[in-house]
Amino acid sequence: MAGAPEDVDTDDCLSSYTHVYSADLLKDQVAFITGGGSGIGFRIAEVLMRHGCDTAIASRNPEKLSEAARKLTAATGRRCLPLQMDVRQPDTISAAVDETLKQFGRVDILINNAAGNFLCPASSLSFNAFRTILEIDTMGTFNTSKVIYDKWFKDHGGSVVNISATLGYRGQALQVHAGSAKAANDAMTRHLAVEWGPSGVRVNTVAPGPISGTEGYRRLGGPTAERTESFRNIPLQRAGNKTEMAHAVLFLASRAASYVTGATLVADGGAWFTSANDVERLLGFWSSEKKKDK
Ligand code: HXC
Ligand code: NAP
């Protein structure tokens, strides 16, 4: 069995990288990546750029984005445009896409990666907390997809890859907000694949499992999350890494998947089949974190 590809746990570029696809797979294409300044989105940007692509990385925090863009260009030699926007505000998305088209003249790939999450039992979740996650994850994915479709994909075709999660498959404990949001996105992938296929737009999803070196995993995994023994229940016996998620995205985004649309590629080492869904353990972790905050 092949081992994991190179990765680093921080939001830094890889010190070495071995191509598993042809290095010019995305030559002179342009990708727009929401949440591309950190975590999985940062590595997606890097790996796409290492395959000849220029990128726009878009989220709320301009300092984080500028620093990320600097690192990405230094490591790959490709252009990276940092753009401030909030996926909940269509006007800001519109301005960011206009700027991308002005700077690069095209957009070929959209990666809907921006998301928000925290552990919280449904009984303690405020109405606004539930709405906030739906607005970032679900409305944000629709808003960004629609703006890019209207401004470019409708006339030129393109490829959308949404970043989902397996949380809703078994009703993951303390995750009703994010699980519901990602389940809606999985349906959206299929609806948009059907409606936009005739315009030459493919729409697909990658659903990661537990991915090391990410904010998502730090927030959800609990205190023992990164210990090796916590992965014993996963068929592949380890956490995934960000480079592996970027490779799954690259496949779906590129011409390697030219006849694939409406698909969800679960990239989780088989975790959702076998991992614990332990309400008591997560409630214990959640209450101990709450006590620390007081
Ligand atoms: C309960 C919470 C909460 C928490 C916020 N809220 N944090 N409720 N537990 N830990 C509530 C607030 O009290 C408020 O409700 C409402 O949510 C909105 O909070 P704001 O702070 O005003 O929202 P905002 O500034 O928009 O920030 C969004 C955020 C924040 C999601 C709350 O954490 C964020 O920006 N996250 C981005 C980074 C992130 O989450 N990365 C992880 C992605 S991983 P009230 O009622 O008080 O007004 C992922 C899946 C991983 O998505 C799967 C792993 C297996
Ligand atoms: P992360 O680094 O926190 O990534 C989330 C990104 O979204 C951040 O860069 C953030 O940037 C951006 N963002 C949040 N709210 C936004 C908003 N309103 N508008 C625009 N951008 C916004 O976390 P991650 O763990 O890498 O997660 C990346 C993706 O993978 C998410 O879709 C997540 O659900 C999915 N996922 C992760 C795991 C895991 O194990 N980590 C597992 C399954 C699925 P700003 O703060 O600058 O806005």
Side-chain angles (χ1 to χ4, degrees):
M1 186 179 66
E6 301 98 325
D7 198 29
V8 287
D9 272 353
T10 52
D11 290 335
D12 290 294
C13 291
L14 304 166
S15 52
S16 67
Y17 177 71
T18 310
H19 284 85
V20 293
Y21 296 91
S22 158
D24 66 358
L25 184 61
L26 300 182
K27 191 168 167 19
D28 297 332
Q29 295 192 22
V30 174
F32 189 96
I33 304 169
T34 68
S38 65
I40 294 171
F42 179 89
R43 190 69 73 239
I44 292 170
E46 177 182 351
V47 168
L48 267 50
M49 290 167 79
R50 287 184 184 277
H51 289 80
C53 196
D54 292 329
T55 56
I57 54 173
S59 70
R60 296 164 302 175
N61 182 331
E63 291 82 26
K64 181 169 91 177
L65 289 167
S66 297
E67 177 64 5
R70 189 191 59 70
K71 289 179 189 172
L72 288 163
T73 292
T76 66
R78 300 301 309 193
R79 289 186 295 168
C80 179
L81 184 63
L83 294 167
Q84 184 176 18
M85 65 168 225
D86 189 321
V87 293
R88 294 168 286 191
Q89 296 169 6
D91 289 354
T92 67
I93 304 170
S94 209
V97 174
D98 285 346
E99 186 60 22
T100 305
L101 290 171
K102 189 171 152 206
Q103 296 288 333
F104 293 140
R106 59 190 293 155
V107 185
D108 302 280
I109 294 165
L110 164 63
I111 313 295
N112 283 305
N113 164 80
N117 202 1
F118 42 75
L119 279 178
C120 189
S123 54
S124 298
L125 201 57
S126 73
F127 296 116
N128 189 38
F130 186 84
R131 179 172 49 233
T132 297
I133 299 310
L134 269 285
E135 280 182 352
I136 299 172
D137 294 19
T138 303
M139 295 298 299
T141 295
F142 181 75
N143 295 341
T144 312
S145 302
K146 184 168 164 57
V147 168
I148 291 199
Y149 179 79
D150 287 345
K151 286 184 185 288
W152 190 260
F153 283 1
K154 186 173 53 175
D155 297 322
H156 302 87
S159 173
V160 181
V161 181
N162 298 321
I163 308 302
S164 188
T166 62
L167 301 166
Y169 298 179
R170 292 191 306 152
Q172 183 65 32
L174 278 56
Q175 283 291 281
V176 65
H177 40 307
S180 302
K182 297 293 195 180
N185 290 3
D186 294 352
M188 198 190 307
T189 294
R190 296 185 288 273
H191 287 286
L192 295 182
V194 168
E195 289 196 23
W196 292 353
S199 311
V201 181
R202 294 185 302 105
V203 187
N204 291 293
T205 284
V206 170
I211 306 305
S212 57
T214 66
E215 182 62 21
Y217 200 48
R218 280 187 284 275
R219 288 184 182 216
L220 301 195
T224 57
E226 305 260 7
R227 287 197 206 139
T228 325
E229 69 267 23
S230 27
F231 303 122
R232 239 179 325 196
N233 286 336
I234 298 178
L236 292 189
Q237 307 268 290
R238 62 176 177 83
N241 75 31
K242 293 174 285 188
T243 307
E244 290 175 304
M245 297 308 102
H247 284 163
V249 167
L250 176 58
F251 166 67
L252 288 173
S254 76
R255 64 179 185 273
S258 51
Y259 202 53
V260 181
T261 196
T264 294
L265 175 56
V266 177
D268 75 335
W272 83 268
F273 295 131
T274 52
S275 290
N277 187 3
D278 187 338
V279 184
E280 290 307 318
R281 187 186 78 81
L282 286 171
L283 271 179
F285 171 54
W286 174 74
S287 2
S288 65
E289 289 293 300
K290 268 187 78 132
K291 277 189 202 125
K292 273 194 238 156
D293 290 345
K294 282 188 183 153

